[in-house]
């Protein structure tokens, strides 16, 4: 009876702890706890709960992926028989209760992919039975506690995806049972402890995306069981240690995006199990050891963005039957395109861009039927009539094709481009000396998201068939010789975000229907021959970030509702025939950093409200017919770096504060009535010394007027007296200064007559002015 009572009491303790957890959950979208965890049902039958047959106590709690939101109550520390606690992929938050340290039987603790915060407490070191500790993808901060090294049976440690800082404690590598360590995606610093050589069982070490530094300890060669080694995106330096070649079981090797120098060890061919080799984004030089291309297990090679050089072996593809990814871009490779690469029939991504590869693009690449990305940009490749495009029509899964910046390719873009993969999403052919017209067949590529055919010699019209590309987001046709009008079919591209047509020979009015493209972020129509006015519909593009209409023949006023472009950051209306005043609504463009209105026919004054455009860095209003003064409010613009109002009809004093102390006379020349500081070589501004006009008026009224009246009375009396005394002696005199005919003198005449108010012509200064 007493034994039964003890068992009843302890299972009720577990039940109480679990009900406390249920009460701490504030959101249970799948009703897992709400409908199942009930006192009317035995605890051991609850979803996610498992009990031991011997003691009838809760030994496992698994609630992963139920989208639960809440905190962990301290009562969970009473689950004294718990050996497995797994609540991954939920939204638990807050700090971990210290009472969890009482779970001395715990072997597996998995709290990954939640929102826990605070530090990783030192009490974890008391859970000496732990085999696995998963705290990944939370919001833990602070340092890794040294006490984790007190877990003698730990095999798996995953802390990736937190905000942990500080160095890696050497105590961790004293755990001889460790098989996997993942500390990536944190803010760890310092060096890799040399003590890692003690982890003889270690199979996976991931330290990527931190701030670790220093060289790789040579002791790394002692980890004979290591299969995965990730240290990419840190600040490591020095050479790749030769001891790496001792890791004969190594499958995945990622040293990318660090500061490694030297060469690739020649003995790397000893790694016969290697599947992935990532050394991109370093400063590694020299040729690729030929032995690399003999590792038949390799499926992923990334050596891009280094200083590698030399010829690519002509037979490099013969012994790589499993190769799927080959990134060699951004190096100094020379010589011809390796024809043997076509033997790697499993290739899905091939990037040889930004090198010095020369010669023809082979027409015999048809065997690469799995290719999804093919990048040859920025090389010295050639192709007669772009014949290689025909071989690419066999790539039914091709998504990205780029051969731009190969100026020797030349030729016309063939109609066969329309036979490329129906999966093609990105097509780059800029700066290839392409001639002729854009083939209408390009409209067959229904999944295209991006087209770049700029900086070529293309002529003719923009084909209306582009309007059928419903997925198109980016269209770059700038720097060609295209003519005619913008086809109205382009207005059907509802997803178009970037339209670049700059520097062509396009003409006619800007289609009003472009205002229907509400997804537009950048619209560049500059340096063409567009005429008429800006369609009022364009101000309906509420998400427009950049607008360039410069160097056309546009006329009429600027849009009166220009302020609707709320998020606009740059606008260029220069070199047109815009007239009328600058609309005051321009001041509503609070994010605008660049505004050019130069070389138009704008009139009126500069709006005072421009001083509220605090993001402005570049402001050019030169070569217009603006009048009035330069608003003093512009002194409030904290980021203004370039300012130009030259060749207008402005007058008055140039502002001096804020950024105006950095601008030269070039910003103001051609305005004959401006005055300012001496360094600008403009006339100085003469100011009247009246400071309190109202007070002086009062003084005249209440003091000077009575005195003047008294003096006037006295003068009259004296004059009468003298007149009576000398009336017989007075004679009528003649005027000494006869009145002449006077005319008004303009400021311009005065300015010329005094040689710009030069001091050499100055006769003297008075209280209210100067005499020349």
């Amino acid at each position: 009876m007493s034994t039964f009572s003890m068992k009843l009491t302890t299972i009720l303790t577990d039940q109480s702890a679990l009900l406390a957890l249920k009460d701490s959950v504030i959101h249970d979208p799948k009703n897992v706890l709400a409908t199942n965890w009930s006192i009317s049902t035995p605890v051991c039958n609850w979803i996610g709960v498992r009990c031991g047959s011997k003691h009838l106590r809760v030994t496992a709690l698994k609630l992963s992926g139920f989208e639960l939101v809440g905190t962990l109550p301290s009562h969970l520390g009473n689950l004294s028989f718990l050996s497995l606690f797994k609540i991954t992929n939920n939204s638990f938050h807050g700090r971990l209760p210290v009472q969890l340290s009482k779970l001395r039987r715990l072997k597996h603790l998995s709290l990954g992919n939640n929102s826990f915060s605070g530090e990783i407490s030192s009490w974890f070191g008391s859970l000496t039975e732990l085999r696995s500790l998963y705290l990944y993808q939370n919001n833990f901060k602070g340092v890794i506690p040294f006490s984790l090294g007190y877990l003698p049976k730990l095999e798996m440690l995953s802390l990736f995806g937190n905000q942990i800082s500080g160095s890696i404690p050497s105590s961790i590598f004293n755990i001889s049972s460790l098989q996997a360590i993942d500390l990536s995606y944190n803010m760890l610093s310092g060096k890799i402890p040399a003590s890692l050589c003690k982890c003889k069982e270690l199979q996976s070490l991931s330290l990527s995306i931190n701030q670790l530094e220093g060289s790789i300890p040579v002791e790394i060669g002692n980890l004979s069981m290591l299969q995965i080694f990730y240290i990419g995106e840190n600040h490591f330096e020095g050479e790749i240690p030769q001891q790496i070649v001792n890791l004969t079981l190594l499958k995945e090797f990622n040293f990318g995006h660090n500061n490694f120098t030297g060469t690739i060890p020649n003995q790397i061919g000893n790694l016969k199990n290697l599947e992935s080799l990532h050394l991109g984004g370093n400063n590694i030089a020299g040729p690729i050891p030929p032995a690399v291309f003999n590792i038949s297990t390799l499926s992923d090679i990334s050596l891009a963005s280094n200083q590698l050089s030399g010829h690519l072996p002509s037979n490099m593809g013969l012994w790589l039957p499993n190769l799927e990814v080959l990134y060699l871009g951004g190096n100094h490779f020379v010589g011809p395109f390796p024809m043997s690469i076509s033997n790697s029939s499993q290739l899905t991504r091939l990037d040889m861009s930004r090198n010095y590869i020369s010669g023809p693009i082979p027409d015999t690449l048809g065997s690469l039927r799995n290719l999804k990305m093919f990048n040859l940009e920025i090389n010295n490749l050639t192709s007669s009539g772009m014949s290689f495009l025909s071989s690419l029509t066999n790539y039914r899964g091709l998504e990205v094709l780029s051969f731009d910046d190969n100026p020797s390719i030349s030729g016309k873009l063939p109609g066969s481009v329309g036979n490329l993969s129906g999966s093609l999403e990105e097509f780059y052919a800029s700066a290839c000396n392409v001639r002729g017209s854009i083939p209408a067949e390009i409209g067959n590529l229904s999944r295209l998201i991006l087209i770049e055919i700029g900086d070529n010699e293309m002529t003719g019209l923009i084909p209306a068939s582009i309007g059928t590309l419903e997925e198109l987001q980016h269209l770059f046709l700038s720097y060609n010789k295209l003519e005619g009008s913008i086809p109205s079919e382009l207005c059907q591209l509802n997803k178009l975000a970037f339209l670049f047509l700059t520097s062509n020979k396009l003409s006619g009015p800007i289609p009003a229907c472009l205002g229907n493209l509400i997804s537009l972020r950048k619209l560049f129509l500059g340096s063409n021959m567009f005429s008429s006015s800006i369609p009022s519909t364009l101000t309906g593009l509420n998400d427009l970030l950049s607008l360039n209409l410069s160097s056309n023949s546009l006329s009429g006023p600027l849009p009166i509702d220009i302020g609707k472009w709320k998020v606009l950051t740059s606008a260029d209306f220069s070199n047109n025939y815009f007239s009328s005043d600058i609309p005051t609504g321009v001041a509503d463009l609070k994010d605008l950093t660049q505004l050019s209105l130069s070389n138009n026919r704008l009139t009126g004054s500069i709006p005072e409200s421009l001083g509220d455009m605090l993001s402005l860095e570049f402001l050019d209003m030169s070569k217009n017919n603006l009048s009035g003064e330069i608003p003093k409010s512009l002194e409030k613009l904290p980021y203004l770096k370039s300012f130009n109002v030259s060749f207008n009809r402005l007058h008055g004093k140039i502002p001096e504060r804020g950024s105006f102390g950095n601008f030269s006379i070039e910003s103001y020349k051609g305005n004959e009535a401006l005055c300012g500081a001496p360094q600008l070589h403009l006339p100085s501004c003469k100011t009247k010394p009246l400071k309190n006009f109202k007070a002086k008026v009062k003084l005249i009224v209440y003091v000077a007027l009575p005195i003047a009246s008294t003096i006037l009375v006295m003068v009259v009396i004296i004059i009468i007296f003298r007149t009576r005394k000398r009336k017989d002696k007075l004679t009528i005199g003649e005027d000494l200064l006869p009145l002449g005919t006077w005319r008004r003198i303009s400021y311009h005449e005065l300015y010329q007559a005094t040689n710009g108010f030069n001091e050499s012509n100055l006769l003297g200064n008075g209280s209210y002015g100067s005499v020349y």
Side-chain angles (χ1 to χ4, degrees):
M1 179 65 71
S2 62
T3 302
F4 176 78
S5 176
M6 183 183 302
K7 289 183 178 179
L8 183 62
T9 302
T10 53
I11 194 63
L12 289 178
T13 302
D14 291 351
Q15 182 189 64
S16 177
L18 296 178
L19 290 176
L21 174 60
K22 177 182 178 181
D23 292 339
S24 298
V25 171
I26 60 175
H27 186 54
D28 180 8
K30 297 183 178 180
N31 291 320
V32 175
L33 308 185
T35 59
N36 186 265
W37 284 24
S38 170
I39 57 175
S40 62
T41 306
V43 172
C44 297
N45 292 339
W46 290 0
I47 289 179
V49 177
R50 188 179 69 199
C51 296
S53 58
K54 182 177 180 181
H55 299 287
L56 295 180
R57 297 291 304 275
V58 174
T59 58
L61 180 59
K62 299 171 64 176
L63 298 173
S64 296
F66 290 149
E67 302 177 22
L68 302 173
V69 180
T71 58
L72 296 186
S74 59
H75 305 70
L76 293 179
N78 295 328
L79 299 174
S80 54
F81 278 76
L82 198 65
S83 65
L84 185 149
F85 185 23
K86 185 176 182 180
I87 54 171
T88 55
N89 304 323
N90 285 291
S91 295
F92 285 103
H93 57 272
R95 294 175 177 268
L96 300 179
V98 66
Q99 287 80 6
L100 293 182
S101 61
K102 297 190 299 182
L103 304 179
R104 301 301 175 89
R105 289 184 171 89
L106 202 59
K107 294 181 180 179
H108 305 283
L109 177 59
S110 185
L111 309 179
N113 199 15
N114 280 283
S115 300
F116 292 114
S117 57
E119 296 185 354
I120 298 176
S121 300
S122 58
W123 54 255
F124 275 100
S126 64
L127 305 178
T128 54
E129 294 296 319
L130 269 183
R131 268 67 165 179
S132 62
L133 177 59
Y134 295 107
L135 304 179
Y136 59 86
Q137 289 185 317
N138 279 283
N139 297 315
F140 290 116
K141 297 182 179 180
V143 301
I144 301 175
F146 192 84
S147 61
L148 289 189
Y150 303 155
L151 304 176
K153 300 178 181 179
L154 194 64
E155 298 174 358
M156 307 289 179
L157 174 62
S158 179
L159 306 179
F160 84 85
N162 283 285
Q163 302 172 47
I164 304 170
S165 56
S167 59
I168 302 173
S170 59
S171 62
I172 289 180
F173 296 111
N174 291 328
I175 306 174
S176 59
S177 58
L178 266 177
Q179 298 178 20
I181 302 175
D182 192 347
L183 307 179
S184 57
Y185 290 89
N186 278 289
M187 296 182 289
L188 295 169
S189 57
K191 300 181 178 182
I192 298 177
S195 58
L196 62 82
C197 63
K198 298 179 182 179
C199 298
K200 301 295 186 181
E201 302 297 319
L202 197 62
Q203 300 174 24
S204 176
L205 176 60
S206 183
L207 306 175
S208 297
I209 312 180
N210 278 287
Q211 300 169 23
L212 298 167
E213 58 188 11
S215 58
I216 306 302
V218 296
E219 290 83 0
I220 195 73
N222 296 328
L223 303 180
S224 58
M225 302 297 292
L226 199 62
Q227 299 180 27
I228 298 174
F229 191 13
Y230 288 165
I231 58 170
E233 298 190 47
N234 278 286
H235 305 299
F236 292 115
E237 57 189 11
E239 297 189 8
I240 299 172
Q242 296 284 340
Q243 291 76 8
I244 289 290
V245 300
N246 297 331
L247 308 179
T248 55
L249 298 181
L250 202 61
K251 293 182 178 180
E252 300 182 25
F253 179 31
N254 188 336
F255 276 30
H257 299 283
N258 280 284
N259 299 311
F260 288 112
T261 55
T263 60
I264 301 174
N266 287 319
Q267 298 87 349
I268 200 167
N270 295 342
L271 306 179
K272 297 300 184 182
N273 295 299
L274 200 61
E275 298 175 1
S276 176
L277 174 62
H278 280 230
L279 299 176
N282 284 288
N283 291 300
I284 302 171
I288 303 175
V292 169
F293 301 111
N294 292 330
I295 306 174
S296 60
T297 54
L298 272 173
S299 63
D300 186 350
I301 301 176
S302 179
L303 307 176
S305 301
N306 276 289
Q307 305 296 323
L308 297 168
S309 58
H311 286 69
L312 294 172
S314 59
N315 61 352
M316 61 180 289
L318 296 181
W319 294 283
L320 297 174
N322 299 305
L323 192 63
E324 297 179 7
V325 176
L326 179 60
Y327 288 153
L328 301 177
N331 283 287
H332 304 289
F333 295 121
V334 296
F337 186 96
M339 301 291 189
S340 63
I341 200 67
S342 60
N343 290 300
S344 299
S345 58
Q346 299 302 313
L347 263 177
T348 59
R349 298 185 176 275
L350 176 58
D351 185 350
M352 295 186 173
S353 64
R354 295 171 291 126
N355 281 288
Y356 301 97
I357 301 173
S358 57
I361 302 174
D363 297 337
T364 57
L365 296 175
S367 60
L368 303 179
R369 298 179 181 274
N370 297 312
L371 207 60
K372 294 182 178 180
M373 190 273 279
F374 189 23
N375 189 353
L376 300 175
E377 67 182 22
I378 314 179
N379 277 289
N380 298 315
L381 294 162
T382 62
S383 178
S384 177
M386 296 194 185
S387 56
F388 73 96
L389 286 175
S390 298
S391 67
L392 299 184
T393 57
N394 294 322
Y395 300 177
R396 305 321 303 167
L398 191 63
E399 297 173 357
V400 178
L401 174 60
S402 177
F403 53 91
D404 54 354
D405 281 286
N406 281 276
S408 298
I409 286 182
S410 71
K412 294 183 178 181
L413 199 61
S416 61
V417 70
N419 297 327
L420 292 172
S421 167
S423 302
L424 194 66
E425 297 179 352
E426 299 178 24
F427 181 72
Y428 301 86
S430 294
C432 290
N433 199 23
V434 180
R435 301 185 302 274
S437 60
I438 302 174
E441 289 85 351
I442 201 168
N444 297 339
L445 306 176
S446 59
R447 293 190 183 180
L448 272 177
I449 295 174
L450 179 149
I451 300 176
E452 285 201 6
I453 323 178
D455 199 9
N456 282 298
E457 299 291 327
M458 306 203 77
T459 56
L461 306 176
I462 299 175
S465 60
I466 290 182
T468 64
L469 304 177
E470 297 180 355
E471 302 298 320
L472 198 64
Q473 300 176 21
H474 182 117
L475 179 60
F476 185 90
L477 303 178
S478 296
Y479 307 106
N480 279 289
K481 297 178 181 179
L482 299 171
E483 53 193 18
S485 59
I486 298 177
S488 60
E489 286 80 1
L490 258 63
C491 300
Q492 301 171 13
L493 303 177
N494 295 325
K495 296 181 181 180
L496 195 64
F498 305 99
L499 178 58
F500 299 96
L501 303 177
T502 306
S503 296
N504 279 285
K505 296 181 179 180
L506 298 170
S507 58
I510 297 174
C513 62
L514 289 182
N516 299 330
L517 302 179
I518 58 174
S519 296
L520 268 183
R521 299 296 183 270
K522 294 187 178 182
L523 177 60
F524 283 59
L525 304 179
S527 299
N528 280 285
M529 296 184 289
F530 292 115
S531 57
S532 191
S533 59
I534 299 176
S536 59
T537 54
L538 287 193
T539 55
L541 301 175
N542 297 327
D543 295 321
L544 200 64
L545 296 174
S546 297
L547 175 64
N548 188 337
L549 302 178
S550 66
S551 302
N552 281 286
S553 298
L554 298 169
S555 58
L558 294 174
I560 190 66
D561 54 350
I562 193 172
K564 286 186 177 181
W565 286 319
K566 295 290 186 183
V567 297
L568 200 66
T569 60
S570 66
D572 192 347
F573 300 99
S574 63
N575 300 313
N576 280 286
Y577 301 105
F578 293 119
S579 57
S580 191
D581 294 356
I582 299 174
T584 56
V586 73
D588 294 331
L589 307 179
K590 303 299 183 184
D591 295 330
L592 202 66
T593 61
Q594 300 182 40
L595 174 61
S596 181
L597 303 171
S598 68
N599 200 16
N600 280 286
R601 298 173 178 176
L602 299 171
T603 57
S605 59
I606 300 174
E608 185 84 18
S609 57
L610 290 186
D612 297 328
M613 302 173 67
L614 299 181
S615 298
L616 268 182
E617 299 177 9
F618 177 95
L619 178 59
D620 190 349
M621 296 179 284
S622 63
K623 300 179 182 178
N624 280 286
N625 293 312
L626 299 173
S627 57
E629 297 185 352
I630 299 175
K632 193 173 178 60
S633 63
L634 299 184
E635 293 178 336
K636 298 186 299 182
L637 302 178
Y639 306 111
L640 195 62
K641 299 174 183 176
S642 178
F643 178 71
N644 194 345
V645 290
S646 61
F647 300 101
N648 279 285
R649 298 165 53 200
L650 301 170
H651 68 266
K653 184 178 181 180
I654 295 173
E656 298 177 349
R657 297 186 178 183
S659 299
F660 282 86
N662 302 324
F663 305 138
S664 69
I665 184 61
E666 298 297 320
S667 296
Y668 312 108
K669 65 182 182 181
N671 291 276
E672 295 181 352
L674 286 175
C675 61
Q679 65 267 24
L680 295 176
H681 304 289
L682 291 172
S684 59
C685 303
K686 303 300 179 180
T687 58
K688 295 182 179 181
L690 295 177
K691 296 183 179 179
N692 197 334
F693 182 74
K694 290 185 178 180
K696 293 192 175 186
V697 170
K698 290 181 179 179
L699 180 63
I700 292 173
V701 173
Y702 293 110
V703 179
L705 189 58
I707 294 175
S709 300
T710 303
I711 293 174
L712 180 60
V713 171
M714 292 177 65
V715 169
V716 170
I717 294 172
I718 292 172
I719 291 174
I720 294 173
F721 177 76
R722 289 186 176 182
T723 300
R724 289 178 179 176
K725 186 175 180 180
R726 301 172 56 191
K727 62 182 177 180
D728 296 332
K729 299 181 180 180
L730 294 175
T731 60
I732 300 173
E734 295 180 355
D735 288 337
L736 298 177
L737 296 173
L739 293 175
T741 302
W742 302 90
R743 68 180 181 85
R744 299 178 66 85
I745 305 299
S746 70
Y747 178 86
H748 180 68
E749 290 175 297
L750 288 175
Y751 186 81
Q752 285 186 324
T754 59
N755 192 21
F757 298 102
N758 194 294
E759 291 188 0
S760 64
N761 296 320
L762 182 65
L763 298 179
N765 290 315
S767 299
Y768 298 98
S770 304
V771 180
Y772 291 86

